Amino acid sequence: MRTRGVWKAVALFSVLAIVSLFFIVPLAWIVASALRPASPLYEYANPLTWRTFIPSKITFENFVHIFTKLDFGRAILNSLFVSVSTIFLTVIVASMAGFALAKFDFRGRQLVFTIVLITFMVPFESIVIPLYVMIKQLRIDNTYWALILPGVANGLAIFLFRQFFAEVPSEIMEAARIDGASWLRIYWRILLPLSMPAIVTVIVMVFMFQWNSLFWPLVATHSSRFEVVQVAIASHRSTENTSWANLFSSAIAGSLPPVLLFLFLQKYFVRGISGTGLKG
Amino acid sequence: MRRLLVLMILLTGVLLSATTLEVLWMGWPKDQVMQLINAFKEENPTIEVEIQLVPFGQLFQTIEVRLAAGDGTPDVFIVDGPNNASYAARGYLLALDDYYTDEEMNDWFKASIEEGSYNGKFYSVPYGTSSAGIFYNKAIFEEYGIPFPSESIDERLTWEEIAEIAKKLTKDTNNDGIPDVWGLVIEQIDRPYLLFPLMQSLGAQVLSDDGFVSQGYITSQEFVQGATFYWKLFNEWKVSPQGVSDSAIAREYFGTGKAAMMLGNEWNLRRLAQYPGVDYGLTPFPYFEGGVAVTPTGSWHVGINSKTKKLDAALKFTKFITGRDAVVTWHLLNGIAPARYDVYEALPEVFGNAMWQLFFNEMENTAVPRPVTPGYSQYELMLREAFNSIHYGADPKKTLEDAAIRIDRELRRYR
Amino acid sequence: MFRNNRVAWFFVIPALSFLLLFKIWPIGVSFIESLTMTSFTGKKTFVGFENYTYLFKYDPVFWNSFWVTIVYSVIVNPLIVISSLLMALLLNGSHFFTRFFRTVFFLPTAISFAVVSVIWMIVLDPYYGLANSFLTLFGLKPQPFFSSTAQALWGLIMLNVWRSSGYWMMYFLAGLQNIPEALYEAAEIDGASTLQKTFRITLPLLTRTMSFVLVANTAFNFLSFAPVYIITKGGPIGSTNLLMYESYKSAFVNLDMGRASAITSILLAIILVFSFVELRLTRAKFDY
């Protein structure tokens, strides 16, 4: 029995390893290029040699340059601040709405759900001008609020919570009601702790959304103290000049926080109460 | 005691008069731009400059959204030359005739003033200009026994001659079906900026005088003839690679010896330093046998928001940043061609060499600015798509005719 | 289902306020925009559905764009959903390497779509890119990729699969956590194979997650166009001219907000139709 398990694991590992090559290979080349002193883009890509993926001389100068001369550290901090703030607000606000949509049959439910769906079916480009005008009228342009608040209007997060909450057995909540618990208490003390996978997923979702936003920060804020990560990365390309070394190093440095976040949150992908099979 | 009071009043006056100027700028490297901003601050301590550097890929959209709010910000913004007409026509730019003396206007190239003007008024101040030519790889020319073409503006090669050279220099040495060396690579493969001179050399006019009609102009016999030559480069003679979608990649091809010639801009004199392996020469932008010599030109300008509430500060900043000293510093940092005569005079060690001399002469003598029309961005985009399709093999005449219909429908809205 | 209007609205109001203010209001403005024609001086005239009729009847590029978009979606959506589901199923265990591979598959998502587009553009360079270097190493012919009308759309599809699979995998992983271990144990006692367990237990219990991923992924793929903007610009010869790219050009280059908004309204209608079908197909067949 145990050897069968081991063989299965080996087979699984091999399949995963082969598939992951598809994902890793282009990135490995980019990483190698970032660790090389600035050189022609295709120098090591063609023809293919081991040097394509392993620099003969490893240097961190490209990374040092973006942090010391181009203020990349501040861009990262800004994006972290905006992302984390948005996460806090969105998780609370969206989970509350998801709770109502999943567990309550109330007047206007269908309308609210339709509104929730529509909000992520319309592209940002078509609402950017009216949104910008509104931000200006609310006098929050060129502040962190301009970056955070519109991000909280996230229909996808609400939709996700709704789907997850629908799977949580209502009996637990009924029992709590009978015991005299308020709805707020049920939401906070019973529902949320059972929904860690959903919460973690929304955390990553919202983080990625804010972390990857490029156009809105350019429109909503203009002071350099608000510069976000994607703007810093995008600035290395233009018709007149593209600095591949800076582009690669900032893209890699800029992708580390999301990856670390994902890695860290893995441990919360644990089975909720339904997962453990404990039911009424 | 009284002196202290006076001092305090003066100080408060100074502090109260501190203005914050909002500037929307192109996403050039921050460390370079800040050198100019800090220099400005030293001269103008009461003006706080908040400069936003927008990446090129998002620049025009960001400007559109910011201006659409109509509240006078940004106070000063970067204007890509041909878009001057569009911003001016929509009332976004302040007319600057009252603020510039004739003497000051003499500082710039005539083509630059033309680019920054609309309907007889001066709207955006020239910040840079441009020119282009053919860069060639000396080693490859030597290897195949082609004599080096001349740098002199008087010894311009024709397109026919360039095509011949390109054919000789497109080589597939290892017989895998893909050339290892291409005869010619075009830095911005489908952009009208670089391609207009071909048609104009044959005598074509690229847009109607009023700037609203392309039918009959981009569909004229001469224009189609130029476009057909362009088509042949990729599809008949196959001397130029299709699908080089990024100017940095085109530069890479030339810089690493994969292309014998590159039709490219003056900024390459700086950018090719990234490729120490290539020993290159420069020869004038070609013309067609029997036709006129035409070169492209035009680049960035600086405009002031028509609704700005800080006109004084805006003018000070604009005059500073486009003034001789700032442009000298900027050229040394960045490398684009200055639009001011006195910068060329101030840096003889840079501009004295033969290559810059060539570009300078072209800008003075053969440069033709892009057509002035408020609908330039849509005209250019659709024409660019047409050129892109043509280089991939679509029939030039038909593609241009389809494009003319679409362009004119868009431009009709401006009449 | 509980019945309590006041409590339900209490929980809904905060999110709804954000949605109404920052999404629904601008969406409404944008829709009104699609019913107007703006002269370049900024004067707006109400023209009813003229923008729409022009698109359907006279616009020379709309229908090509429409079909390119539909073909793209019909291929890329199932591909992404299947690949991310497979990844999640394979990585649902707790081997020592599970966390590692989950992170590896997630890596491309950590990079923005725009930067991923730049990476693919240079990796798939028709002459000197990394991809062709691999092909020639194995003796295959180098491919034109984005410079071929036949391959460009597939290039976009693969780019999207590459970037998005890890992302949707995360949602499936979350959904898998909700499936009671006891069910698998019971099945094993009955002698069920892995395949049977997957089809009889896992998939049916994943329907809610599946409907979420299907609907969200569909919307994303109709609305994103970064690779077109950066790499192909709609070409070669219109073969990758997605509707959203046409809308974008109308809005920011042609300054024709009417046409831009009309196209996005049409896209919204298409997405709603697709979503409706998807939600129907993945109706949860049971309730807790």
Side-chain angles (χ1 to χ4, degrees):
Chain A
M1 278 298 124
R2 260 185 63 198
T3 35
R4 255 228 349 238
V6 171
W7 277 119
K8 272 179 89 171
V10 168
L12 184 62
F13 183 86
S14 321
V15 167
L16 290 172
I18 295 176
V19 172
S20 61
L21 282 179
F22 173 57
F23 293 96
I24 293 190
V25 167
L27 295 178
W29 176 59
I30 302 285
V31 172
S33 304
L35 291 172
R36 268 189 267 266
S39 52
L41 178 64
Y42 291 128
E43 191 168 343
Y44 297 99
N46 183 288
L48 213 56
T49 61
W50 62 269
R51 266 198 213 90
T52 308
F53 301 105
I54 304 174
S56 37
K57 176 182 160 204
I58 295 193
T59 167
F60 286 96
E61 66 195 32
N62 297 321
F63 291 91
V64 170
H65 179 79
I66 55 173
F67 279 100
T68 54
K69 291 277 161 46
L70 300 174
D71 231 357
F72 193 64
R74 172 157 51 182
I76 295 217
L77 287 176
N78 276 332
S79 288
L80 278 176
F81 175 68
V82 170
S83 303
V84 170
S85 311
T86 315
I87 287 173
F88 268 117
L89 287 173
T90 311
V91 168
I92 306 238
V93 151
S95 60
M96 284 172 67
F99 176 38
L101 286 171
K103 290 299 180 189
F104 287 82
D105 187 11
F106 61 97
R107 272 233 309 260
R109 179 164 158 259
Q110 266 307 106
L111 178 64
V112 171
F113 187 54
T114 313
I115 288 179
V116 166
L117 287 185
I118 290 186
T119 58
F120 62 82
M121 294 178 181
V122 176
F124 175 69
E125 286 76 16
S126 66
I127 60 171
V128 61
I129 293 181
L131 191 60
Y132 176 62
V133 170
M134 173 194 300
I135 296 286
K136 287 221 108 179
Q137 283 169 349
L138 290 174
R139 299 207 180 291
I140 56 174
D141 62 300
N142 208 34
T143 65
Y144 281 110
W145 291 119
L147 297 176
I148 297 171
L149 294 180
V152 180
N154 189 329
L156 211 58
I158 300 176
F159 184 27
L160 183 88
F161 276 125
R162 175 205 185 258
Q163 299 299 90
F164 267 80
F165 292 161
E167 317 242 296
V168 174
S170 298
E171 292 88 353
I172 306 179
M173 298 183 216
E174 277 161 10
R177 277 301 280 174
I178 291 173
D179 285 346
S182 73
W183 282 113
L184 213 48
R185 192 185 174 77
I186 290 177
Y187 158 79
W188 188 257
R189 291 265 167 170
I190 298 178
L191 184 63
L192 287 189
L194 289 182
S195 314
M196 282 320 283
I199 294 178
V200 162
T201 309
V202 169
I203 288 179
V204 176
M205 177 209 288
V206 173
F207 188 87
M208 297 310 310
F209 171 72
Q210 287 290 43
W211 192 260
N212 284 337
S213 57
L214 171 60
F215 191 26
W216 178 245
L218 283 171
V219 166
T221 63
H222 57 264
S223 299
S224 56
R225 61 180 184 276
F226 295 115
E227 192 189 40
V228 297
V229 149
Q230 297 304 329
V231 171
I233 296 176
S235 63
H236 299 299
R237 276 190 81 219
S238 79
T239 315
E240 301 162 11
N241 193 21
T242 295
S243 63
W244 297 110
N246 290 338
L247 181 64
F248 293 157
S249 61
S250 52
I252 291 167
S255 66
L256 285 180
V259 171
L260 291 174
L261 178 75
F262 181 77
L263 196 56
F264 170 71
L265 288 176
Q266 287 293 298
K267 64 173 180 250
Y268 290 103
F269 274 99
V270 291
R271 308 210 123 100
I273 195 160
S274 356
T276 57
L278 279 168
K279 266 180 65 179
Chain B
M1 193 54 210
R2 237 187 5 176
R3 259 194 263 167
L4 191 57
L5 204 58
V6 170
L7 194 63
M8 281 176 64
I9 293 177
L10 279 176
L11 213 57
T12 322
V14 166
L15 286 173
L16 280 178
S17 69
T19 21
T20 308
L21 198 65
E22 277 183 46
V23 178
L24 198 161
W25 213 238
M26 157 61 191
W28 285 302
K30 191 185 309 213
D31 50 346
Q32 293 175 356
V33 176
M34 286 319 285
Q35 287 187 44
L36 299 175
I37 304 297
N38 291 335
F40 177 76
K41 275 215 72 182
E42 265 179 49
E43 282 183 29
N44 298 275
T46 57
I47 304 181
E48 186 67 43
V49 175
E50 271 194 354
I51 188 161
Q52 183 187 16
L53 302 174
V54 181
F56 182 76
Q58 281 69 39
L59 181 60
F60 304 111
Q61 308 85 298
T62 308
I63 293 178
E64 288 300 329
V65 178
R66 297 286 310 275
L67 293 177
D71 68 337
T73 62
D75 302 291
V76 176
F77 57 100
I78 195 97
V79 172
D80 190 27
N83 288 337
N84 175 67
S86 174
Y87 298 140
R90 286 182 286 160
Y92 286 142
L93 288 172
L94 185 71
L96 300 170
D97 306 81
D98 293 337
Y99 307 104
Y100 277 87
T101 65
D102 288 336
E103 206 190 301
E104 280 170 305
M105 297 297 278
N106 279 337
D107 286 332
W108 297 301
F109 290 113
K110 281 200 61 225
S112 296
I113 298 179
E114 213 180 300
E115 198 177 39
S117 306
Y118 179 68
N119 267 354
K121 292 215 184 121
F122 183 53
Y123 282 102
S124 59
V125 184
Y127 190 47
T129 183
S130 66
S131 187
I134 296 244
F135 294 82
Y136 65 92
N137 185 319
K138 288 187 175 165
I140 298 179
F141 270 59
E142 233 165 49
E143 192 182 332
Y144 294 101
I146 316 268
F148 295 166
S150 162
E151 244 153 22
S152 161
I153 198 176
D154 303 307
E155 288 173 60
R156 194 183 299 268
L157 289 180
T158 62
W159 276 113
E160 290 83 354
E161 287 170 306
I162 293 284
E164 284 309 305
I165 298 176
K167 285 184 216 168
K168 293 200 185 107
L169 294 178
T170 302
K171 301 276 175 207
D172 180 10
T173 45
N174 57 7
N175 269 317
D176 60 352
I178 303 234
D180 305 286
V181 179
W182 295 90
L184 173 71
V185 75
I186 299 179
E187 189 180 13
Q188 296 180 70
I189 203 171
D190 49 11
R191 266 194 80 205
Y193 166 84
L194 265 188
L195 299 175
F196 277 153
L198 271 77
M199 323 337 178
Q200 288 164 329
S201 177
L202 291 167
Q205 185 176 326
V206 300
L207 194 63
S208 64
D209 288 325
D210 60 6
F212 298 129
V213 180
S214 68
Q215 183 74 252
Y217 296 89
I218 68 173
T219 49
S220 70
Q221 197 202 14
E222 296 84 9
F223 200 100
V224 175
Q225 195 185 335
T228 309
F229 176 87
Y230 171 75
W231 179 93
K232 287 184 183 171
L233 288 172
F234 301 95
N235 297 289
E236 189 177 301
W237 308 315
K238 308 213 176 151
V239 297
S240 201
Q242 288 174 331
V244 181
S245 47
D246 192 297
S247 58
I249 296 185
R251 255 172 260 135
E252 171 96 5
Y253 281 29
F254 180 74
T256 53
K258 300 185 175 67
M261 294 184 283
M262 173 171 75
L263 181 67
N265 271 65
E266 86 294 344
W267 56 58
N268 284 298
L269 293 180
R270 188 64 75 82
R271 307 288 172 249
L272 288 175
Q274 293 171 22
Y275 301 102
V278 65
D279 184 18
Y280 64 89
L282 179 69
T283 192
F285 200 105
Y287 71 119
F288 279 107
E289 182 84 49
V292 193
V294 175
T295 53
T297 192
S299 184
W300 303 102
H301 288 239
V302 182
I304 298 182
N305 196 313
S306 59
K307 298 201 185 125
T308 179
K309 301 189 177 88
K310 304 153 203 158
L311 179 57
D312 209 48
L315 276 169
K316 286 210 178 87
F317 180 80
T318 305
K319 293 210 173 187
F320 172 85
I321 204 91
T322 55
R324 193 195 76 143
D325 293 338
V327 176
V328 163
T329 312
W330 185 240
H331 175 84
L332 291 171
L333 287 170
N334 187 275
I336 60 173
R340 301 181 64 101
Y341 286 110
D342 49 15
V343 176
Y344 291 92
E345 289 156 26
L347 294 172
E349 68 277 17
V350 173
F351 297 111
N353 75 40
M355 294 190 194
W356 269 113
Q357 281 298 309
L358 171 61
F359 284 134
F360 185 82
N361 288 333
E362 301 276 40
M363 292 189 277
E364 281 263 86
N365 298 304
T366 57
V368 173
R370 284 162 281 191
V372 172
T373 170
Y376 186 80
S377 49
Q378 41 272 61
Y379 164 68
E380 202 222 21
L381 180 64
M382 290 190 241
L383 193 53
R384 183 179 186 175
E385 286 176 354
F387 283 135
N388 188 277
S389 294
I390 292 173
H391 109 283
Y392 274 124
D395 175 63
K397 193 155 162 35
K398 172 116 198 347
T399 312
L400 288 169
E401 277 167 6
D402 288 342
I405 296 175
R406 293 182 60 209
I407 291 171
D408 287 353
R409 187 190 175 253
E410 286 300 320
L411 295 181
R412 242 196 12 241
R413 299 193 304 134
Y414 288 90
R415 289 206 250 170
Chain C
M1 282 283 160
F2 301 102
R3 291 210 127 88
N4 192 329
N5 275 351
R6 268 184 54 220
V7 173
W9 276 101
F10 166 77
F11 278 99
V12 157
I13 295 253
L16 195 61
S17 319
F18 275 99
L19 288 184
L20 288 174
L21 190 61
F22 295 113
K23 280 264 153 73
I24 298 297
W25 161 254
I27 291 175
V29 171
S30 164
F31 177 69
I32 304 282
E33 194 77 59
S34 77
L35 302 175
T36 66
M37 199 95 77
T38 315
S39 85
F40 93 103
T41 47
K43 195 165 136 250
K44 291 197 205 294
T45 2
F46 184 76
V47 294
F49 287 102
E50 205 179 293
N51 283 320
Y52 294 90
T53 42
Y54 181 81
L55 281 174
F56 291 130
K57 285 213 219 156
Y58 305 110
D59 191 301
V61 298
F62 175 76
W63 284 111
N64 173 64
S65 208
F66 179 83
W67 288 115
V68 167
T69 309
I70 297 283
V71 168
Y72 173 73
S73 283
V74 163
I75 300 178
V76 87
N77 287 332
L79 270 182
I80 292 181
V81 172
I82 292 175
S83 66
S84 50
L85 177 61
L86 277 176
M87 282 183 204
L89 290 174
L90 289 176
L91 290 170
N92 195 22
S94 47
H95 303 273
F96 71 91
F97 50 78
T98 306
R99 255 211 221 183
F100 170 73
F101 279 113
R102 284 183 190 173
T103 313
V104 164
F105 292 154
F106 186 77
L107 279 178
T109 305
I111 307 177
S112 76
F113 218 172
V115 176
V116 167
S117 304
V118 174
I119 293 176
W120 272 63
M121 177 179 75
I122 57 185
V123 167
L124 265 61
D125 182 86
Y127 310 104
Y128 308 112
L130 197 67
N132 275 331
S133 307
F134 267 101
L135 288 179
T136 43
L137 197 69
F138 293 120
L140 299 165
K141 269 189 64 181
Q143 297 299 311
F145 298 123
F146 291 115
S147 44
S148 139
T149 45
Q151 295 183 354
L153 197 62
W154 280 103
L156 292 188
I157 291 171
M158 292 320 294
L159 191 164
N160 201 350
V161 171
W162 186 85
R163 198 226 171 202
S164 313
S165 301
Y167 180 71
W168 300 109
M169 167 194 77
M170 174 183 72
Y171 291 94
F172 281 122
L173 280 175
L176 285 171
Q177 306 313 312
N178 262 355
I179 301 178
E181 190 66 45
L183 287 178
Y184 289 120
E185 286 163 8
E188 242 160 64
I189 291 173
D190 287 346
S193 70
T194 319
L195 221 56
Q196 283 174 315
K197 279 189 282 181
T198 309
F199 280 97
R200 290 282 172 82
I201 303 176
T202 315
L203 291 185
L205 290 180
L206 266 187
T207 15
R208 282 217 175 78
T209 315
M210 177 69 77
S211 60
F212 172 82
V213 171
L214 272 176
V215 170
N217 184 44
T218 304
F220 271 36
N221 291 331
F222 272 109
L223 300 179
S224 57
F225 65 101
V228 178
Y229 177 69
I230 291 180
I231 310 176
T232 65
K233 319 257 190 320
I237 316 185
S239 56
T240 58
N241 196 22
L242 297 178
L243 270 179
M244 191 55 222
Y245 183 58
E246 273 296 313
S247 172
Y248 171 82
K249 283 188 290 182
S250 280
F252 292 104
V253 180
N254 297 354
L255 308 173
D256 183 353
M257 293 312 294
R259 180 174 185 266
S261 304
I263 295 181
T264 52
S265 303
I266 293 174
L267 274 172
L268 174 61
I270 298 176
I271 296 171
L272 281 172
V273 167
F274 271 67
S275 302
F276 181 69
V277 170
E278 285 157 357
L279 284 173
R280 275 248 117 158
L281 285 176
T282 54
R283 247 230 196 113
K285 296 187 178 55
F286 49 84
D287 233 319
Y288 272 99

